Each structure stands twice: as C-alpha cells, then as structure tokens.
Amino acid sequence: MLGLAGLFLYAVLSRGAESSQPLASDMRGYAVLGLFLLWVIWLPAVAREGGLRFDRAEIDQLFPAPFHRRELMLYRIIQSTLGTALLSLVVFWVVLPVGGTAVAVYLGVLLGLSMFSLSFMLVGMLATSAAFALSRRARTALTIGVVSAFALGLYLAWSSATSVDGMLRWMATFGPVQLLSFPFRMVVETVLAERVFPDLLLWGGGLLCVDALLVIAIVAVDADYMERSLAAGERDFARLKQLRRQQSAFVIVGKVRGRWRPPPPPYLAGAGPIAWRQAVLAVRSELFWNAVAMVSTISIGFIVLARTGVMPTATAPGMIIFSLVLMLPTMLQADFRSDLGRIDVLKSLPVGTSAVVAGQLAVPVAVGVALWWVFAILLLVLGMMPPRMFWLACALALPVNLYLFAVENLFCLAFPFTITRGGVGQLHQQGRTAMVAIGKLLVGLLGVLLSAAVGGALWWFTGAPMLTVIVGAVVGMSLVAGLAVAGCEWAYDRLEPTRGE
Amino acid sequence: MRAYGTSDADDGETLRPRRHLIKVENYSKAYDRVLAVDGLDFAVAPGQILGMLGRNGAGKTTTLRALAGILTPTRGGLRIAGHDLRVDPVSAKARLAYIPDEPQLFEALTVWEHLEFTAMTYGVKEFGAQAEALLRQFELTEKRDEVVQELSRGMRQKLAICCAYLHAPLAILFDEPLTGLDPRGIRTVKDSIRERAAAGAAVVISSHLLSLVEDLCTHLLIMECGERKFFGPIDEARVQFSGGAGLGSLEDVFFGATEGKPVERG
C-alpha cells in the first residue's frame, strides 16, 4: 500500500500538470457508455446481495452499543470509502496513460468508484426493502418491467444499426441513455480533465455532489429498510441478518425449496463424498443457476450477434472464451470459497489433503468444462469455429478450468481473512480482488510461456505444426494447472484457523 | 447401539483391549511467538471419560483441535487408537469424532443428508438403521428432511453429535457439549456419553461446567497457561487439592490446582 502511495506521489510530481493526448470525442462517448453498461450488468447481482453489509462481529458488538443507526451507516460508508481510496491507487495506474493530469485521474477514479459503490449500496437496500414490502406478484411485475425496458432498448439499438459500432453510436446518442449515463460522463470528464479550472472543478465537483446525494439517500432509505424488515417478522429479519453477515455469497440465504440432489459418487479416496456435498450445494443455490444462466446468456448473445452480422463471426469464439474465463470462475463458488467457515470440519475428516482439494474443485471445474464443451460444439455446428480450433478448445477445457478455479481457491486459502464481505473485509476484499487478478495474470503468463516452450520444442523436433500447438498448449496448461492445484494443497495444509483457547 | 470397532472404517477390526486410545506425548503448540500449549502429556484408555478443565486461554481447545487433526503440533506426538496423527492422519481420524463448541454444519444439506455424508466419508455402508436410531435418541426424527439452516442452536448441536456417533468412533472429543441444549437434551447427551464410554470408547470433554465434569468424568486434566497442572483419576485430584480426606468439590479441586494450594475449608 505504501509502495502504491509512493508510486502515486512519484507520478504526480513527475507528471505535474501535463497530460497525455486527449481522448477523441467518440472514444469519450464509448467510455461513458461502457461504464454505464458495466453498472447495468452488475446491478442484478448487487440488488440480490442486499446493500449494506456488516460482519458478525460488527452486528454483535456495534448494534447493541449506544450508537444511532445513522452513525453505524456513516461508519460503514467511511470504511468503504477508505477501501475505495486504496483500490483507486491500483486503478489509477491503469487509467493514467489515457487520462488527464495525475491528480485529475486519481480524483476521477476515486469519485467514480465511490459512485459505483454507493449506488450499489442504495440499489441493494431498495431491492431488499421492495422484497419485504411488495407482494410476489408486484415483484415479478417490477422485474418484468425492468427486463422489458432493457430488452426494448436493445431492440431499438439493434433495429437502428447494422454493426456493433453502429449500435454503440446509437446508444451513446439516445436521449434516455444520455440522461441516465450523465453521472458516468462526469467520471470520464473528471479523469480526462487537463486543467484545474474549469474542467476538474466543474466535473469533479459535480461528481462529488452525486456521491454526497447518494450518501444522503442511503441514510434516508435505511430507516425504512430496517423498519420494513422488522415488520416482516422475526424469521425474515433473521434471514436479512444472515444475508448481511454471510461469509460467502454462495451460502443459501433463503428457504431451500428443491430437494433434488445428484446421486452419490464412488468414494475415490474421500474426494467423492466431498464433491457430492458441493454438488448438492450447487444445485440448491440460486446463485449457481444464476451464474450458469448469466454466462450462457451472454455467450449465446455473442453467437446471435455474430450470426446476424452485427459482430464479425471470428470474434464470437474469443468473446465467449472471455466470458467463460473471466466471469465463471469468480461466480461459481461451490468450492473452498463457500467453505472457509467449515475448514475445521474438512480437516477433521478422514480424507487426505489431495482428495479434499480434488473434491472441492471437482464441481466448479466440471461445470466449467461442460459449458466450454457445449459452446465449442455449438460454434462448430454453426460453422463459426474451424475443426482444428474446436479440438484445441476441447483439449484445453480441463486444464484451463482446473487452473482458473485452482488459482481462485489458492488465493482464498492463502488469504482467508478476506472472506468477510463488508466490514473490515471491505478493505481486504478489494485488495484481494486486485491480488487475485495480478496472481492469475502471472500464472497465466507462466502457462503461455510453458505452452510456447513445449510447443516450440515439439515443432523444432517433429515439424508437425498443428499437433505441436495442441500438444504444447495442453501440456503447458496442464503443468500450470498442476502447479496451481499443488499450491491449493499447500495452502490448505498450512491453513490453521486459530480459534479457541 | 452399534458395537465399537465394527465400523467399516475399521476394516473389520475389533476393539482389542488397548492400553490407551488417545495418547498425547510432549505436545506443544506455538502461534508465532506465543506458546499456547507446552509439553503436554496425557492418555485416555477405553471406557475412561477425561474432563479437561482450565481457565480461558489455558490451551484446552487448542489441544482438542490438534487431536482432531485441525492444527498441526509444533512438537510432540498425538496418537488415536495407535495411529500417529502426523504419520497416518487418515487412519487416526477414521477412528475419531470431534464435536466443537459451535458445530459447523453444511447449510444446504438436510439432517439426513448430513448423516449420509458422514456415512459416505467414513465408509459406513449400512448406516440407515443406525442413523434412524440416533435421530430417535436425540429427538430429531421429525427434522429428518429439514435443511440445517432451519434448525435451532440446540438441534444443530444434537445433529453434530449424531454425525459424530454414526461411525462408532473409538475416541470422542467434546468441546463444551451442552451449549444450547435444553434440560432434556442435556440429559440425553450425558446418557449417550456414558453409554459410549461403557461400550469402550475413550472420551475427552472440555468444559467450564464443573458440574458436568463432576457428573460424568472418571479422570481429570487441569491445564493452566498451556501447562498440565494435574492429570489422573478424579478421586486422586480430590485428595491432592481439596484436603486430605478427598471430600471437596470439583470447584475446590480446580482452584486448588490452578491457584497452587489446597483450599481451606471451614
């Protein structure tokens, strides 16, 4: 953290008031639209998570203490803002090359990320209030209304353009989108500000006002939020508390309705029962089905866009891989990430470390591989992927998914204190997100280098190019995946929950 | 009740008269520079119930968690039914059950599925009748198909005990076993502990409830700041710490042992 702060100061002092080349105006429009769409895509998941979060210690210690609710809210918001300030130091370096002055970039990133965070809190709280206040029919009608409005917007964009570029251009100039995305324009303009006055003061000041309004709205909504939840009865309130302090988003918070479960697998040195338990958790978790549905919908969306000529056909496989590689591993948490509170149980079972790790990783990896193969077959059948690429994708599905989930779990086991979402975990969560991203990047680079080395050696000696590519890629990725799984085993063995007397 | 030593996890092994089912030799555990337990020795034979007493931070739970294979000892040896936890942890854990003070159950599974999962993991093939009997004994039959997140604190505790008993463990470790239980539940658990010990299991109970230890335990381990202050039969502790006649209460014994002198009685 100090290092990042030092680098930030260095950037400010060395760059001073200079700025890079100003971003072209159409690119500014795309940046605004991109931020807005990112916010919209994130919204359903955020709404489900219920807004403000307090961890168990905070609920037990601070709620009975002589503090007003408002003070607790401000405590949480300030803590969240401090976490955002740290995260901004990381994002700053990504944005700096295209931004205005260093100060403007940092302020823009900080105020922009705060706007994201505060608006998500507000939407989550409103959604939770609505969940208690509205009947099931009203909630369904509201959901249908929102989805219909979104679908209508997409249809209008689609019908008025023949390419992705055209669609984006249309959306960027569409009145309602411009109005709704105005706060995101403030973010972009603040980041790109080249002068303190009027650019930075005008846009940055406006953004600060938006953040302040969001804080006021959160505090105002909170009273209603708690009252409604209390009125909804002790049982629902218990659910709300559980939702607020849950250690993993994958833990089921509602009443489990489905009783279907997969058949028990063979013992497999103990990995079988552990994988079976994770499979039961997965099939009964709404978040599991949401994750699969979201990734599938996005991937099918890319196929439809490519088939209808809106997007170049060659880019569809790449975009699908992008969604499978980036989204699925963070969303499917039927592994150690949902079990950090039960490490004691796992460790006391008569099952060896390798079997525990294998059992914990089996379900998400299997789902990842299945989705990978389904979309590879679909692309092959539709003629959007050449057979050679198809075989490569099929061969890589297992090592790539194993690697992705193993790295997620490795970081989770190596830094288990970050499991609490909200509270102190708010700071840790953001730091962990950055660390996981950097870790995955480094391990991914190692995989590419190994793949290239093995492939190059095979090509050099055998001269069979396609075979070398497939074998090299699979061997390289398998080696990296093996290293990541070994890392998981090491981290699991090393993990000692230090509770007790 | 299922006979001990006939679980599938034991591969048909029967309970031979062993000198000790739980053996702790020179066990030490350090966290960074803090020594939580220092050179602890004790052993529990079949049929014995050992009560662990000590103030908060004395090292009781740390010892139990090391015996359960959750923590790795910094030094020393831990054996369950003759199996060294370092050398052969899977065999040792297959003969062991650990019930923590706050049971960590799997939220998505039903009561029955917890028993099913335990049976699968410990290799208990015909578990149905045994599981039904345990549910009846702990009054959980009606909750059989409920997901555990619907259960009360006491019911969760009882379910954890059912899971622990299912594979007929040779060594049973309890950490505050009565937490959250109603009077009827307390009686059921206490009776079950006596039954398991009578059937040949070695039981360790860590508790601050002196009445529980006095009521159930045959032996006593008193710890203070990670060190052993007393280990032996409970009657011997009375003689040593509560006056020569050995008529003092366990409270007298505890304060005598931890404060270093026999309690003066009027």
Side-chain angles (χ1 to χ4, degrees), chain A residues 105-126:
Chain A
V105 170
Y106 182 74
L107 282 177
V109 169
L110 172 62
L111 293 171
L113 287 176
S114 297
M115 189 180 79
F116 265 74
S117 167
L118 292 168
S119 59
F120 286 158
M121 272 186 204
L122 183 62
V123 170
M125 290 166 75
L126 288 170

Side-chain angles (χ1 to χ4, degrees), chain A residues 382-424:
Chain A
L382 293 172
M384 296 168 72
M385 183 186 261
R388 285 179 174 185
M389 285 298 291
F390 168 77
W391 290 115
L392 182 63
C394 287
L396 278 173
L398 180 61
V400 167
N401 278 287
L402 189 58
Y403 143 72
L404 290 171
F405 284 100
V407 170
E408 289 282 353
N409 280 273
L410 170 61
F411 277 83
C412 172
L413 290 168
F415 305 99
F417 51 84
T418 57
I419 57 173
T420 309
R421 297 163 66 110
V424 178

Side-chain angles (χ1 to χ4, degrees), chain A residues 235 254 344 347 497 501, chain B residues 60 62 65 72 93 149-150:
Chain A
R235 190 184 181 83
D344 280 15
K347 287 212 166 207
E501 298 177 1
Chain B
K60 304 187 299 291
T62 300
R65 282 152 63 82
T72 311
K93 289 179 198 174
Q149 70 184 36
E150 307 286 322

Side-chain angles (χ1 to χ4, degrees), chain A residues 227-494:
Chain A
E227 283 306 312
R228 284 192 190 284
S229 62
L230 284 167
E234 191 61 34
R235 190 184 181 83
D236 284 342
F237 184 55
R239 282 178 54 197
L240 173 67
K241 283 200 293 186
Q242 188 191 352
L243 183 71
R244 284 178 151 196
R245 72 187 180 197
Q246 70 193 54
Q247 292 193 322
S248 162
F250 221 73
V251 173
I252 294 162
V253 291
K255 192 175 177 68
V256 176
R257 293 186 177 83
R259 284 288 188 274
W260 183 84
R261 73 224 183 120
Y267 184 65
L268 301 173
I274 290 174
W276 174 79
R277 190 190 58 76
Q278 287 291 9
V280 174
L281 166 69
V283 297
R284 289 181 184 169
S285 166
E286 283 181 23
L287 287 170
F288 168 81
W289 294 110
N290 286 351
V292 172
M294 188 180 282
V295 171
S296 303
T297 308
I298 289 172
S299 301
I300 289 168
F302 286 130
I303 292 174
V304 172
L305 287 174
R307 292 289 290 176
T308 51
V310 177
M311 176 195 271
T313 306
T315 54
M319 297 305 285
I320 290 171
I321 288 172
F322 184 76
S323 68
L324 289 175
V325 164
L326 284 191
M327 292 176 69
L328 203 63
T330 51
M331 295 173 81
L332 275 187
Q333 297 192 356
D335 45 37
F336 281 113
R337 289 171 289 174
S338 61
D339 269 342
L340 273 176
R342 299 174 194 84
I343 289 293
D344 280 15
V345 182
L346 292 173
K347 287 212 166 207
S348 62
L349 294 174
V351 179
T353 302
S354 301
V356 171
V357 171
Q360 291 286 71
L361 293 177
V363 171
V365 170
V367 173
V369 170
L371 281 175
W372 195 291
W373 283 348
V374 164
F375 282 104
I377 291 169
L378 201 58
L379 289 170
L380 181 74
V381 170
L382 293 172
M384 296 168 72
M385 183 186 261
R388 285 179 174 185
M389 285 298 291
F390 168 77
W391 290 115
L392 182 63
C394 287
L396 278 173
L398 180 61
V400 167
N401 278 287
L402 189 58
Y403 143 72
L404 290 171
F405 284 100
V407 170
E408 289 282 353
N409 280 273
L410 170 61
F411 277 83
C412 172
L413 290 168
F415 305 99
F417 51 84
T418 57
I419 57 173
T420 309
R421 297 163 66 110
V424 178
Q426 190 80 22
L427 290 173
H428 297 154
Q429 186 73 21
Q430 291 174 356
R432 180 175 174 270
T433 306
M435 282 194 68
V436 169
I438 293 167
K440 278 200 287 190
L441 185 70
L442 291 175
V443 181
L445 281 174
L446 182 66
V448 171
L449 286 174
L450 272 170
S451 304
V454 176
L458 283 171
W459 174 80
W460 184 266
F461 290 113
T462 66
M466 193 56 215
L467 177 71
T468 55
V469 170
I470 292 181
V471 173
V474 172
V475 169
M477 274 321 300
S478 300
L479 283 172
V480 178
L483 283 175
V485 172
C488 273
E489 292 180 12
W490 166 80
Y492 173 71
D493 270 338
R494 186 177 152 271

Side-chain angles (χ1 to χ4, degrees), chain B residues 92-237:
Chain B
K93 289 179 198 174
R95 290 153 179 83
L96 172 83
Y98 170 56
I99 301 103
D101 54 343
E102 197 169 325
Q104 299 169 353
L105 302 172
F106 300 110
E107 302 293 326
L109 300 190
T110 64
V111 167
W112 186 258
E113 283 166 349
H114 269 85
L115 293 163
E116 208 173 349
F117 172 67
T118 306
M120 272 196 269
T121 314
Y122 285 82
V124 186
K125 292 197 179 76
E126 302 298 328
F127 76 101
Q130 173 72 359
E132 295 279 12
L134 282 168
L135 291 184
R136 267 198 309 278
Q137 183 182 4
F138 287 91
E139 297 175 322
L140 287 173
T141 306
E142 286 180 10
K143 303 288 177 186
R144 182 192 148 116
D145 295 322
E146 286 204 15
V147 179
V148 296
Q149 70 184 36
E150 307 286 322
L151 301 183
S152 69
R153 172 73 180 77
M155 286 177 185
R156 293 167 72 94
Q157 180 77 4
K158 288 196 271 188
L159 174 58
I161 294 172
C162 288
C163 290
Y165 286 168
L166 187 66
H167 63 102
L170 296 173
I172 309 173
L173 314 173
F174 285 99
D175 195 354
E176 294 292 358
L178 305 185
T179 310
L181 294 175
D182 59 22
R184 194 180 175 84
I186 289 172
R187 177 179 284 184
T188 307
V189 171
K190 282 161 88 172
D191 288 346
S192 76
I193 292 172
R194 283 194 196 95
E195 285 169 15
R196 298 278 150 176
V203 182
V204 177
I205 299 172
S206 167
S207 180
H208 292 296
L209 295 175
L210 297 180
S211 59
L212 169 72
V213 174
E214 196 155 31
D215 194 17
L216 284 181
C217 297
T218 58
H219 288 66
L220 206 58
L221 171 66
I222 301 177
M223 295 177 71
E224 175 81 350
C225 298
E227 293 181 351
R228 189 179 92 178
K229 286 291 175 186
F230 174 82
F231 170 64
I234 206 159
D235 292 337
E236 194 179 298

Side-chain angles (χ1 to χ4, degrees), chain B residues 236-254:
Chain B
E236 194 179 298
R238 288 186 207 278
V239 172
Q240 192 172 334
F241 293 109
S242 64
L247 298 172
S249 68
L250 197 57
E251 191 177 315
D252 296 335
V253 170
F254 178 72

